[in-house]
Amino acid sequence: MKLLLAEDDMRLGELVVHMLKKKGGHTADWVTTGREACEYAEATNYDVLILDWMMPEGDGVWACRQLRKEGYMGAILMLTAKDGLQDRINGLDAGADDYLVKPFEIEELLARLRALSRRNFAPIQGEEVQVPGLILNRTNQTASIAGELVQLTPREFQLLDLLIQNKGITLTREIILDRIWGLDADVGPKAIDAMIKLLRKKLSGLDQELIQSIRGVGYKIEA
């Protein structure tokens, strides 16, 4: 599974990510604020979000409510030291699918993640997606403009698909780097800028520039 952990306790966060990888065999991204949790969840397809209740810049309940309000359909597990009945109700009413009270054993967390993964949360993506003048085919990973194929490398296709999936949302370079290469890759922001430049050149047949630069932040598609 691909997981997102939002936990501001550095020691606990490091331990949980390590155990998710070592014992569960999962990949896991880790953020420390509610705002970052929302940004990552909107930009990346995760199997389960693990949200700590108490975090800066929007706690877990706030992040859960924001994501559900924006139509997020993925699985959400809430982690918290709050074990009162009303606290559990508040977390579930905010849109969480499950609730695990601290302290917990990693085996129980893994079991709950397996249970959540068996439920079908994610909407099925269409074989083709369109923006004005451009058709992206996810089955054969091709792009075409006015019926003419555009030759894209696998990573160029991934990047273009990621931007189109998140139309209207500015994706930071960090999110793009994580989604396309992985944060552990020896790749810097300049590689992203270079790929965007190549993509724009290959998409020059469109009536208008598709990919917009957000100065000092990243890129987005408005179409």
Side-chain angles (χ1 to χ4, degrees), residues 145-178:
I145 298 174
E148 295 290 328
L149 285 179
V150 179
Q151 297 299 323
L152 300 177
T153 67
R155 281 211 170 102
E156 287 171 347
F157 182 90
Q158 286 180 311
L159 176 54
L160 183 57
D161 192 19
L162 178 66
L163 289 167
I164 289 175
Q165 285 181 50
N166 295 279
K167 286 185 294 185
I169 299 172
T170 299
L171 301 185
T172 65
R173 287 176 175 83
E174 290 76 15
I175 289 176
I176 293 172
L177 177 63
D178 178 39

Side-chain angles (χ1 to χ4, degrees), residues 164-212:
I164 289 175
Q165 285 181 50
N166 295 279
K167 286 185 294 185
I169 299 172
T170 299
L171 301 185
T172 65
R173 287 176 175 83
E174 290 76 15
I175 289 176
I176 293 172
L177 177 63
D178 178 39
R179 186 67 177 87
I180 305 300
W181 285 276
L183 289 177
D184 294 333
D186 187 20
V187 176
K190 289 185 178 180
I192 298 171
D193 297 337
M195 185 176 288
I196 291 289
K197 185 176 180 180
L198 287 172
L199 266 178
R200 284 174 170 158
K201 185 176 181 180
K202 292 182 177 184
L203 300 176
S204 60
L206 294 172
D207 292 336
Q208 59 184 13
E209 192 167 275
L210 184 65
I211 304 172
Q212 299 182 13

Side-chain angles (χ1 to χ4, degrees), residues 2-220:
K2 186 170 180 61
L3 310 169
L4 175 66
L5 171 67
E7 169 61 68
D8 67 324
D9 183 318
M10 303 305 289
R11 185 176 178 181
L12 178 60
E14 185 176 359
L15 176 62
V16 171
V17 168
H18 174 73
M19 297 307 289
L20 287 173
K21 294 178 180 179
K22 182 178 179 180
K23 286 200 169 185
H26 307 306
T27 59
D29 294 331
W30 174 25
V31 297
T32 58
T33 70
R35 176 184 56 79
E36 288 177 316
C38 290
E39 290 175 354
Y40 271 66
E42 289 167 354
T44 304
N45 293 322
Y46 293 103
D47 294 292
V48 185
L49 308 183
I50 307 169
L51 304 181
D52 181 44
W53 186 300
M54 301 299 292
M55 290 185 293
E57 297 183 41
D59 60 22
V61 172
W62 174 86
C64 191
R65 285 201 179 102
Q66 287 293 113
L67 288 167
R68 295 308 192 201
K69 182 179 179 181
E70 294 168 8
Y72 184 79
M73 299 296 291
I76 298 177
L77 170 67
M78 193 77 71
L79 289 182
T80 181
K82 295 176 177 287
D83 61 355
L85 174 60
Q86 190 57 50
D87 294 321
R88 294 196 297 273
I89 291 172
N90 290 342
L92 294 170
D93 282 348
D97 299 291
D98 200 358
Y99 194 104
L100 186 57
V101 176
K102 298 177 181 178
F104 56 86
E105 296 293 333
I106 191 67
E107 288 78 9
E108 182 178 4
L109 174 59
L110 292 172
R112 288 175 181 264
L113 292 173
R114 288 194 297 271
L116 285 172
S117 72
R118 289 193 290 268
R119 297 165 60 184
N120 186 16
F121 291 91
I124 298 173
Q125 291 185 332
E127 177 184 354
E128 288 189 348
V129 60
Q130 299 185 33
V131 293
L134 177 71
I135 298 177
L136 216 63
N137 187 305
R138 292 191 176 109
T139 300
N140 53 28
Q141 294 203 333
T142 59
S144 59
I145 298 174
E148 295 290 328
L149 285 179
V150 179
Q151 297 299 323
L152 300 177
T153 67
R155 281 211 170 102
E156 287 171 347
F157 182 90
Q158 286 180 311
L159 176 54
L160 183 57
D161 192 19
L162 178 66
L163 289 167
I164 289 175
Q165 285 181 50
N166 295 279
K167 286 185 294 185
I169 299 172
T170 299
L171 301 185
T172 65
R173 287 176 175 83
E174 290 76 15
I175 289 176
I176 293 172
L177 177 63
D178 178 39
R179 186 67 177 87
I180 305 300
W181 285 276
L183 289 177
D184 294 333
D186 187 20
V187 176
K190 289 185 178 180
I192 298 171
D193 297 337
M195 185 176 288
I196 291 289
K197 185 176 180 180
L198 287 172
L199 266 178
R200 284 174 170 158
K201 185 176 181 180
K202 292 182 177 184
L203 300 176
S204 60
L206 294 172
D207 292 336
Q208 59 184 13
E209 192 167 275
L210 184 65
I211 304 172
Q212 299 182 13
S213 298
I214 308 302
R215 187 178 179 86
V217 182
Y219 299 95
K220 73 174 178 177

